[in-house]
Amino acid sequence: MDLYAEESPVYEGVERRREVRAFLHAPVRVQYTGADGVRCITDEVSEDISLSGIAFATSAMGVYEVHGRVVVSVAIPAGDRGTFPFTRLAGVGRVVRVQPLAQVGAAPPRAGVALEFGNDVTALAALPLQ
């Protein structure tokens, strides 16, 4: 699979990313404050990722709102670390897009979520950066 393909398998539209993105499935932990003021954590799986943002599909409908802020931690799977310049990303993200995804059979409804990282995102490198 070409990790740096040009077209996203989940999202279509105008390309606005500042960084090259890779299409890979990596565990994503998202922390946010619910409408009731309680801190919540969901575990998602990335669809694509870059140093400037991440996209994932979720069944947590109604949780993510455009312009909402979340704290994100992404762990790059060991098998993808030789191809990727980092092993983990963590920081604050801003929701830039939420769109319903086509429902497949009797599966629960899902939405595609895109987050943009701020300047304070921390990236741990797998290899020394040159």
Side-chain angles (χ1 to χ4, degrees):
M1 177 179 184
D2 181 6
L3 292 180
Y4 295 99
E6 289 299 317
E7 294 298 320
S8 168
V10 176
Y11 305 104
E12 297 177 5
V14 176
E15 180 62 52
R16 294 187 181 108
R17 289 171 182 81
R18 298 181 307 262
E19 305 283 341
V20 174
R21 64 183 163 156
F23 299 103
L24 68 103
H25 300 290
V28 180
R29 176 152 286 181
V30 184
Q31 297 180 38
Y32 60 92
T33 302
D36 56 4
V38 175
R39 189 181 99 187
C40 302
I41 297 173
T42 60
D43 290 316
E44 310 291 356
V45 176
S46 69
E47 293 290 335
D48 70 61
I49 186 169
S50 75
L51 289 174
S52 61
I54 187 169
F56 57 88
T58 183
S59 58
M61 302 300 286
V63 167
Y64 301 101
E65 295 181 9
V66 174
H67 302 297
R69 300 245 181 238
V70 296
V71 177
V72 180
S73 176
V74 183
I76 304 305
D80 294 317
R81 290 180 184 167
T83 310
F84 226 64
F86 50 86
T87 59
R88 181 173 292 276
L89 283 177
V92 175
R94 180 178 68 89
V95 178
V96 294
R97 183 176 58 247
V98 179
Q99 66 188 82
L101 297 175
Q103 192 166 348
V104 178
R110 296 177 59 78
V113 178
L115 304 177
E116 174 183 61
F117 294 129
N119 292 333
D120 63 344
V121 69
T122 300
L124 300 177
L127 303 171
L129 297 176
Q130 298 181 9

